[in-house]
Amino acid sequence: MSKKINLFSNLKSDFASGLVVFLVALPLCLGIALASGAPLFSGIISGIVGGVIVGYLSQSHLSVSGPAAGLTAIVLSAITDLGSFNIFLLAVLLAGLIQLALGFIKAGSISNYFPNNVIEGMLAGIGVIIILKQIPHAFGYDPDFEGDESFFQPDGQNTFSEIFNIFDHVQLGSIVIAVISLAILILWNKVEFLKKVKLIPPALVAVIVSILLNEFFIQSGSNLAIAKEHLVSLPIPTSLEEFKNIIVTPDFSAISNSKVWIVAITIAVVASIETLLCIEASDRMDAQKRYTNTNVELKAQGIGNILSSLLGGLPMTSVVVRTTANNTAGAKSKMSAIIHGVLLLVSVLAIPSILNKIPLATLAAVLLLVGYKLANPSTIKHFWEKGKYQFIPFIATFGAVVFTDLLKGVALGMIISIIFVLKGNMKRAYHFRKEEYHDGDIIHIDLAQEVSFLNKAAIKTTLSEIPENSKVIINASDTVYIAHDVLDLIKEFKKIRAKDENINVTLVGFKKVYELENSDGFKNTVSFENQYDAMKRKIIPVEINKTDIIE
């Protein structure tokens, strides 16, 4: 039974971190909605629900949910394909129901199989993406939407070409504000008397200073003044009717449309995978090493997506950028995520005109430091020192995340990790003692405790390389489990090839073979010497026909 959490026990640090996440989330919610071809407020609604509802229901202490950059392409094509945002909202609602079901059937447990080196590679890759994507914003060049994490951009550019385009669109005022903001963010935790002012986060100070500085530039007629297109652009409803139009509801009449169900399944699968990856990442970031029940998280995300769709919001996931910003800002509990959602709700209703004065260059400075925390060079050094089997999946994931996107990067890292696992299993299945063979030498092949069908290829290769007129001892004394495929392979080698090529084969531990059947009806083959071990594992031995016994 999980321990009850007092959400107010770390209110000072959680309020400060929630404020930082709110500042980071605001332009990301708007940017992702814009890139998705959805109403701008749909991104804000998703952020509010992700913060308040999912934040409360989730067991994660650091994770922050909201609209995700990884879903923009899916959302954009789905809205176009379905022909209506209302019909798309129905697909989001169904996706939420699917996620809820996935939580109940404990599908979240698959996150336990994500290797640490792949998760760390993903985080380092996202860190580099954040840095590269925020450099143009820091220079006052903002054609790419805030929150984009893909190498190839919707506007036809890519991450690097966007940086080279900066030189034709430099805004000196943005550079000045970005530099001053970075200075505040860095020095705030280094100057002794400022470190004591813990309630006021440096990001808020940087935002206030940047607003005041830009207002001064505007009033003084300076050419450093930042134009409206380089500021946060939250729509401001001017009447009650416009407020009412913000809430859009799903069109339930399209429930029989097969395209709606395809979109729902796609969103549910992609959103769930991204969430599980982020939860694993947030648990690794957690200084207190608390672990999240991922099945509860899937249920929370499902409920969040259902509510978001009913209010006219975008689909959501747990998001790495906001989660990292939360951790970096010193969050202690999930109260920080809830506070960020409440601040989104209050601010868009009460002070939208003030929010629209925030320069994107300031928020770029905040995210640049978040990116550095993720892509710290010491992480690369750490995995390099761990050896190639840890480093190669890490660096492959890292590179693929930077040059493609998050899911493709993780998929590549997982594939490489699985290949290494299979390779390792093949090597561990047996020990082949033969340095340089000379006539009359005995070749020893000692089988491991478990020899599965995955080891068949390696054992087959080894047996095929045994020279004519040699002596071979295959030892299965320590073996608990041998796959039937491998037994057949050894039988065929002994009965056919060994006779044809005058190879003297001695089998140790194969005197009697028992077929064991457990309560699930799963059949294993073990050597006689390990019958006692099998009985201890509550497996019932049944002797098989003598024709099947290797003698």
Side-chain angles (χ1 to χ4, degrees):
M1 191 173 173
S2 58
K3 188 171 72 174
K4 197 171 181 179
I5 301 164
N6 181 359
L7 292 176
F8 298 95
S9 58
N10 299 289
L11 194 57
K12 278 188 178 180
S13 57
D14 286 340
F15 184 82
S17 55
L19 193 53
V20 172
V21 180
F22 153 68
L23 293 170
V24 168
L26 179 63
L28 297 184
C29 289
L30 293 169
I32 290 166
L34 183 68
S36 301
L40 287 180
F41 265 109
S42 64
I44 299 293
I45 291 167
S46 179
I48 294 168
V49 174
V52 179
I53 306 300
V54 178
Y56 178 76
L57 295 174
S58 171
Q59 290 184 355
S60 175
H61 297 275
L62 297 178
S63 170
V64 182
S65 296
L71 293 174
T72 51
I74 295 170
V75 174
L76 181 62
S77 64
I79 293 172
T80 307
D81 226 18
L82 298 173
S84 162
F85 185 63
N86 301 69
I87 296 176
F88 169 74
L89 290 176
L90 176 62
V92 178
L93 188 148
L94 294 172
L97 290 171
I98 293 168
Q99 284 186 296
L100 201 56
L102 289 172
F104 279 110
I105 65 171
K106 302 189 184 306
S109 304
I110 64 166
S111 65
N112 295 323
Y113 299 98
F114 297 148
N116 288 341
N117 51 3
V118 171
I119 297 295
E120 292 286 355
M122 175 192 80
L123 289 174
I126 289 174
V128 170
I129 288 170
I130 293 170
I131 292 169
L132 295 175
K133 293 289 187 181
Q134 293 307 313
I135 288 172
H137 295 299
F139 279 79
Y141 183 54
D142 306 302
D144 191 28
F145 70 93
E146 280 281 3
D148 187 12
E149 293 172 6
S150 296
F151 182 74
F152 296 104
Q153 299 175 181
D155 60 2
Q157 300 293 329
N158 62 53
T159 303
F160 293 130
S161 68
E162 192 80 353
I163 292 172
F164 290 125
N165 287 337
I166 289 171
F167 301 107
D168 298 325
H169 304 87
V170 172
Q171 298 286 327
L172 195 56
S174 292
I175 296 172
V176 170
I177 282 177
V179 170
I180 291 173
S181 299
L182 275 171
I184 292 169
L185 293 167
I186 293 167
L187 294 174
W188 195 266
N189 292 320
K190 294 190 181 291
V191 178
E192 200 59 40
F193 78 91
L194 290 175
K195 284 164 76 175
K196 295 175 183 176
V197 192
K198 290 186 178 177
L199 188 59
I200 305 174
L204 178 60
V205 177
V207 166
I208 292 170
V209 169
S210 68
I211 290 173
L212 294 175
L213 195 56
N214 192 45
E215 284 299 307
F216 171 75
F217 292 155
I218 293 169
Q219 297 302 324
S220 63
S222 169
N223 61 356
L224 295 176
I226 300 175
K228 185 181 176 182
E229 60 265 26
H230 305 299
L231 305 175
V232 170
S233 56
L234 182 67
I236 304 175
T238 55
S239 66
L240 184 62
E241 194 61 36
E242 286 188 40
F243 265 115
K244 287 180 181 176
N245 291 336
I246 289 171
I247 307 297
V248 185
T249 55
D251 181 358
F252 289 96
S253 66
I255 192 74
S256 59
N257 187 339
S258 60
K259 288 183 179 178
V260 170
W261 286 92
I262 292 168
V263 171
I265 293 166
T266 305
I267 291 172
V269 170
V270 174
S272 298
I273 292 171
E274 288 207 14
T275 291
L276 294 176
L277 287 168
C278 183
I279 291 298
E280 284 297 307
S282 67
D283 284 351
R284 286 194 61 75
M285 292 178 204
D286 189 359
Q288 297 180 50
K289 296 303 171 193
R290 297 164 291 188
Y291 296 104
T292 303
N293 184 328
T294 47
N295 297 310
V296 172
E297 185 65 30
L298 285 180
K299 293 175 191 175
Q301 293 289 333
I303 292 168
N305 276 319
I306 291 167
L307 289 176
S308 181
S309 67
L310 291 172
L311 295 170
L314 289 175
M316 71 187 68
T317 72
S318 178
V319 190
V320 173
V321 177
R322 272 158 268 189
T323 300
T324 308
N326 195 30
N327 178 59
T328 305
K332 301 294 182 190
S333 78
K334 62 183 184 178
M335 188 62 177
S336 176
I338 295 170
I339 288 169
H340 123 272
V342 172
L343 288 173
L344 274 173
L345 175 61
V346 172
S347 61
V348 297
L349 293 177
I351 54 169
S353 55
I354 294 174
L355 297 177
N356 285 346
K357 293 181 183 293
I358 302 174
L360 293 177
T362 299
L363 301 176
V366 175
L367 286 168
L368 282 169
L369 287 185
V370 170
Y372 177 76
K373 292 275 185 183
L374 285 173
N376 197 314
S378 63
T379 307
I380 299 174
K381 184 184 175 189
H382 168 74
F383 280 99
W384 173 261
E385 290 170 350
K386 278 195 166 187
K388 65 181 180 181
Y389 290 111
Q390 287 292 312
F391 181 73
I392 292 174
F394 165 81
I395 206 69
T397 305
F398 169 80
V401 166
V402 172
F403 290 104
T404 57
D405 57 41
L406 185 148
L407 288 181
K408 288 182 183 134
V410 169
L412 178 64
M414 290 291 291
I415 289 167
I416 293 172
S417 294
I418 290 167
I419 290 169
F420 282 162
V421 166
L422 294 178
K423 188 175 179 183
N425 277 342
M426 284 190 238
K427 285 186 174 179
R428 286 191 291 273
Y430 63 95
H431 179 60
F432 186 25
R433 286 183 276 154
K434 183 186 83 74
E435 297 301 322
E436 289 183 14
Y437 178 79
H438 298 288
D439 288 345
D441 286 355
I442 298 174
I443 299 169
H444 292 267
I445 300 175
D446 302 325
L447 299 181
Q449 278 196 327
E450 294 196 9
V451 184
S452 73
F453 73 95
L454 296 173
N455 312 122
K456 179 181 175 182
I459 293 173
K460 188 176 184 180
T461 302
T462 298
L463 293 176
S464 69
E465 291 174 354
I466 291 173
E468 295 180 9
N469 307 313
S470 57
K471 297 178 182 177
V472 181
I473 296 177
I474 303 175
N475 191 344
S477 297
D478 296 327
T479 305
V480 173
Y481 166 81
I482 310 175
H484 285 287
D485 289 6
V486 177
L487 277 174
D488 289 343
L489 189 69
I490 294 169
K491 260 198 289 189
E492 289 166 5
F493 173 75
K494 184 176 185 292
K495 288 182 177 180
I496 301 171
R497 186 168 165 249
K499 284 182 180 178
D500 292 345
E501 299 184 11
N502 194 30
I503 299 172
N504 187 339
V505 180
T506 303
L507 301 177
V508 179
F510 292 91
K511 288 181 182 177
K512 288 205 173 185
V513 177
Y514 282 80
E515 182 175 48
L516 304 177
E517 187 168 350
N518 63 14
S519 57
D520 297 324
F522 180 76
K523 295 185 177 182
N524 294 322
T525 304
V526 299
S527 60
F528 176 77
E529 287 82 350
N530 288 293
Q531 183 184 358
Y532 179 68
D533 286 339
M535 289 173 68
K536 282 198 298 183
R537 288 159 50 196
K538 296 182 181 179
I539 301 175
I540 305 164
V542 181
E543 189 171 359
I544 63 173
N545 296 330
K546 286 187 179 267
T547 52
D548 291 332
I549 295 172
I550 300 178
E551 298 179 354

